[in-house]
RNA sequence: CGGGAUGUAGCGCAGCCUGGUUAGCGCACCUGCUUUGGGAGCAGGGGGUCGAGAGUUCGAAUCUCUCCAUCCCGACCA
């Protein structure tokens, strides 16, 4: 039993000034967590109870799926991460330190290497597989900008699992088992989620899905198709490509003077206001030019983890912006940055503002690799730069007049985009990444030499999957999902107690003894109680604290308790619905529904 | 890393522009009395390196410079 009179807790009447999102604000105000360091939080007694319940649900579902728990150090040597390249690839986000002998160490951001080496250490036969093992561990990432309390910290807790299989079919099965376990876990945590296709980023690997809790406080943007249910992280969205068109009998491209058209908008305006350049007079059709008819070519510099750089040109429809995040996701681990003035000086064939496919591409004068949006299909016609100041080329046909080096999904996604699968409308939303599952493949097993003997005695390289759930982040996501203007509203499965019992009578009256008795009986019946037994605060404070703390059921021992028969008031925190019940039925009524 | 804002008691803030006794207010905390069904009242009290350092000045929370930290937007981010 938790007694408010002695609980290590102080609730705050005001919101902390540095907290923006609801989960951060309320968890601090209600006395669950305190900031201890930039991106680091202390769990107070109530918070730790919730944390442990969340952790226990995750653990139970992992165990139920047949995965086994292990535990690694968070402090690790450099070598394994050097072997896989992640000592470099992780960049500034890795917490690095030196021991007294000057050895490089790190605080692990995730543990692929160690799991791989552990399995290599112990197992050597295909008959030992499949295997899935997991841990719940503190992870460290030197985030450039920790924010939103528990949602993005530099120290956080994560459940990470790894699967080991001899072949792709086995990996597929392990992946599906994790996917099912995650669905069961998030259902029990009362966390709403959308499963979206994702990119695997710095982790490497192929198939990858994220579980996103759809909340405005989330940092991830994702799309859902209103038609077929396709859902994807915006970084991984595949937009609908147009059908290729015939190039037979299409008018030749012409080069036109287009003075004073530094932007797409001014270019389109000029085209539409110059009779000789209208689509009709060029033999196309009757409609006016739009920004979507133009092709803009954006130059970026790619920086690879080893420090090497390379220029890249990206062609996207003129009505779109380049989304650097999407581009980066496609090109990982290379990081794109906008072209600088010095970069332009190094490539004299590029005429700023009038760059066109005439010079782009590996086989053209600039020798810059040229990737285009999937909408730039063979036979599509474009207005684009003529590689001369003040001139554009009109009606340039992809596949006839220029050949890109490939396609890339790098245009900003908007609500106007259509689903790449069914052509339906896409809807953009924000979400918190609460889980990520992906098929790593053999990246780590190859780098670290994890093989097992196959049935024929020959070594087989093991294929792996990696599966994460942010435990501390899940606590925040639950708080973010379940609260109102008065405070938190925990789902029963993770609440710090089943019942918030309070005394609401004059000191010296019979209520205290009745409440004490009821609290003991509830505990004996296996119903956990947070007992507001404080004698020195007014009932208003008790009600306000109860709503802030957010235990699902609030039971009040007040005026009615002294009557015959004695009554208590029971209030549902979430709905606000109250009812009076006889004391004799208290235990039956207060038992949580799922027990 | 770029832009913006902020840093004064546990929390929320005023004071700074225009330098001047002992740095203020609300909440929280402590003591006493009263009060007790929706963030009580009265009286008394404790708690401050005014983010840090340097400078200007007879005198700095206040002016100048440097640094640090936090928050927001962007960049970045399983």
């Amino acid at each position: 039993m938790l007694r408010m009179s002695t609980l290590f807790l102080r609730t705050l009447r005001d919101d902390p000034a540095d907290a923006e999102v609801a989960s951060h604000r309320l968890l601090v105000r209600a006395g669950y967590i305190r900031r201890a360091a930039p991106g680091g939080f202390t769990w107070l007694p109530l918070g730790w109870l919730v944390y442990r319940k969340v952790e226990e649900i995750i653990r139970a579902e992992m165990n139920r799926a047949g995965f086994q728990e292990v535990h690694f150090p968070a402090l690790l040597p450099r070598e394994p991460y050097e072997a896989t390249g992640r000592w470099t690839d992780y960049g500034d986000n890795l917490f690095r330190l030196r021991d007294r002998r000057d050895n490089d160490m790190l605080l692990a951001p995730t543990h692929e290497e160690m799991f791989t080496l552990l399995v290599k250490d112990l197992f050597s036969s295909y008959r030992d597989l499949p295997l899935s093992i997991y841990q719940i561990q503190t992870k460290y990432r030197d985030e450039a900008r920790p924010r939103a309390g528990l949602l993005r910290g530099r120290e956080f807790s994560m459940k990470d699992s790894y699967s080991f299989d001899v072949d792709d079919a086995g990996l597929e099965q392990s992946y599906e088992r994790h996917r099912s376990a995650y669905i069961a876990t998030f259902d029990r945590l009362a966390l709403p989620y959308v499963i979206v296709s994702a990119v695997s980023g710095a982790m490497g690997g192929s198939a990858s899905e994220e579980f996103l809790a759809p909340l405005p406080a989330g940092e991830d943007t994702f799309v859902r198709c209103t038609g077929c249910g396709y859902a994807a992280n915006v970084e991984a969205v595949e937009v609908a490509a147009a059908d290729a068109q015939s190039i037979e009998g299409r008018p030749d491209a012409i080069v036109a003077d287009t003075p004073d058209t530094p932007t797409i908008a001014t270019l389109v305006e000029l085209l539409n206001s110059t009779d000789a350049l209208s689509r009709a007079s060029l033999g196309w059709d009757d409609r006016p030019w739009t920004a979507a008819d133009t092709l803009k070519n954006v130059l970026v510099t790619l920086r690879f983890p080893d420090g090497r750089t390379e220029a890249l040109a990206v062609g996207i429809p003129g009505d779109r912006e380049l989304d650097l995040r999407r581009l980066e996701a496609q090109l990982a681990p290379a990081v794109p940055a906008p072209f600088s003035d010095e970069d332009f000086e190094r490539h004299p064939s590029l005429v700023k503002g009038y760059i066109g496919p005439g010079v782009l591409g590996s086989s053209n004068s600039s020798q810059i690799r040229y990737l285009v949006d999937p909408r730039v299909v063979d036979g599509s016609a474009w207005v684009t730069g003529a590689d001369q100041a003040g001139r554009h080329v009109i009606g340039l046909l992809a596949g006839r007049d220029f050949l890109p080096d490939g396609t890339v999904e790098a245009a900003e996604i908007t609500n106007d985009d259509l689903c790449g699968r069914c052509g339906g409308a896409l809807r953009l939303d924000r979400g918190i990444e609460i889980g990520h599952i992906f098929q790593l493949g053999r990246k780590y097993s190859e780098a670290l030499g994890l093989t097992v003997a196959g049935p024929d005695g020959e070594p087989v390289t093991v294929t792996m999957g990696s599966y994460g759930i942010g435990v501390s982040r899940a606590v925040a996501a639950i708080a973010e999902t379940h609260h109102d203007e008065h405070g938190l509203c925990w789902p029963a499965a993770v609440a710090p107690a089943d019942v918030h019992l309070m005394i609401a009578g004059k000191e010296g009256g019979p209520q205290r003894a009745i409440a004490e008795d009821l609290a003991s009986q509830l505990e004996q019946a296996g119903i956990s109680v947070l007992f507001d037994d404080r004698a020195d605060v007014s009932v208003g404070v008790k009600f306000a604290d109860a709503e802030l703390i957010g235990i699902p059921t609030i039971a009040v021992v007040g005026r009615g308790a002294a009557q015959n028969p004695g009554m208590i008031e029971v209030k549902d925190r979430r709905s606000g619905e109250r009812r009076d019940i006889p004391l004799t039925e208290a235990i039956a009524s207060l038992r949580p529904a799922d027990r």
Side-chain angles (χ1 to χ4, degrees), chain A residues 558-580:
Chain A
R559 288 184 293 247
Q563 299 165 355
N564 192 6
M567 305 287 282
I568 59 170
E569 179 183 307
V570 175
K571 178 174 173 179
D572 183 80
R573 170 62 184 91
R574 188 177 301 268
S575 67
E577 180 192 330
R578 331 173 172 199
R579 60 206 169 93
D580 291 315

Side-chain angles (χ1 to χ4, degrees), chain A residues 75-78 87 95-99 103-107:
Chain A
L75 178 65
L76 298 172
R78 168 178 176 162
W87 177 264
F95 267 110
R96 299 155 207 268
L97 58 161
R98 288 221 168 92
D99 68 8
N103 293 313
D104 281 319
M105 311 281 288
L106 60 93
L107 294 173

Side-chain angles (χ1 to χ4, degrees), chain A residues 94-123:
Chain A
L94 194 63
F95 267 110
R96 299 155 207 268
L97 58 161
R98 288 221 168 92
D99 68 8
R100 62 170 71 204
R101 289 179 211 144
D102 243 21
N103 293 313
D104 281 319
M105 311 281 288
L106 60 93
L107 294 173
T110 174
H111 281 76
E112 279 76 3
E113 284 82 352
M114 303 312 292
F115 272 85
T116 308
L117 289 171
L118 183 67
V119 173
K120 180 182 175 181
D121 221 13
L122 295 177
F123 278 8

Side-chain angles (χ1 to χ4, degrees), chain A residues 358-369:
Chain A
V359 297
L360 300 172
S362 315
S363 53
N364 267 326
S365 56
S366 71
Q367 298 195 333
I368 294 173
R369 191 153 67 104

Side-chain angles (χ1 to χ4, degrees), chain A residues 5-279:
Chain A
S5 60
T6 54
L7 189 62
F8 185 47
L9 169 75
R10 183 110 301 145
T11 58
L12 305 178
R13 193 177 291 215
D14 299 309
D15 282 333
D18 59 355
E20 196 71 14
V21 302
S23 59
H24 186 194
R25 235 175 45 225
L26 292 171
L27 288 170
V28 171
R29 258 192 74 195
Y32 286 78
I33 59 170
R34 298 291 293 177
R35 197 190 82 95
F41 285 84
T42 306
W43 296 92
L44 301 179
L46 288 181
W48 194 235
L49 281 166
V50 173
Y51 172 86
R52 282 183 7 226
K53 291 200 169 183
V54 170
E55 185 186 85
E56 204 43 50
I57 287 173
I58 295 170
R59 176 177 286 118
E61 289 302 324
M62 292 298 112
N63 292 343
R64 201 152 71 96
F67 312 147
Q68 299 169 63
E69 185 171 12
V70 297
H71 197 78
F72 285 88
L75 178 65
L76 298 172
R78 168 178 176 162
E79 287 72 28
Y81 287 77
E82 186 72 59
T84 55
R86 290 210 300 170
W87 177 264
T88 323
D89 289 359
Y90 238 96
D92 289 337
N93 270 7
L94 194 63
F95 267 110
R96 299 155 207 268
L97 58 161
R98 288 221 168 92
D99 68 8
R100 62 170 71 204
R101 289 179 211 144
D102 243 21
N103 293 313
D104 281 319
M105 311 281 288
L106 60 93
L107 294 173
T110 174
H111 281 76
E112 279 76 3
E113 284 82 352
M114 303 312 292
F115 272 85
T116 308
L117 289 171
L118 183 67
V119 173
K120 180 182 175 181
D121 221 13
L122 295 177
F123 278 8
S124 49
S125 162
Y126 77 98
R127 288 161 49 168
D128 295 323
L129 302 184
L131 171 72
S132 285
I133 47 182
Y134 74 96
Q135 68 170 341
I136 296 171
Q137 239 293 13
T138 306
K139 306 285 182 183
Y140 297 87
R141 290 186 195 170
D142 191 358
E143 296 285 350
R145 186 181 151 205
R147 72 180 106 185
L150 255 25
L151 283 176
R152 176 166 294 280
R154 298 203 296 173
E155 176 180 297
F156 58 98
S157 166
M158 180 166 94
K159 187 288 304 173
D160 49 331
S161 320
Y162 304 86
S163 66
F164 301 85
D165 283 280
V166 285
D167 55 28
D168 293 349
L171 171 58
E172 187 65 40
Q173 277 182 25
S174 294
Y175 182 88
E176 285 304 322
R177 283 169 67 203
H178 277 90
R179 199 174 191 274
S180 307
Y182 274 34
I183 287 169
T185 302
F186 293 127
D187 285 346
R188 278 184 68 184
L189 291 174
L191 265 176
Y193 55 86
V194 178
I195 303 176
V196 305
S197 304
V199 290
S200 37
M203 309 294 307
S206 51
S208 160
E209 289 173 297
E210 286 170 340
F211 287 72
L212 297 182
L215 290 161
E219 298 180 284
D220 285 87
T221 307
F222 69 100
V223 301
R224 270 182 281 192
C225 173
T226 51
C228 69
Y230 169 73
N233 191 299
V234 72
E235 294 171 1
V237 173
E238 294 171 6
V239 298
D243 291 331
Q245 300 166 41
S246 161
I247 57 175
E248 295 291 315
R250 305 282 289 279
D252 286 340
I254 60 158
V255 175
D257 285 320
T258 53
D260 302 322
T261 55
T263 63
I264 296 288
T266 51
L267 173 63
V268 170
E269 197 186 324
L270 178 97
L271 293 175
N272 282 330
S273 60
T274 309
D275 286 344
L277 297 180
S278 74
R279 292 180 66 89

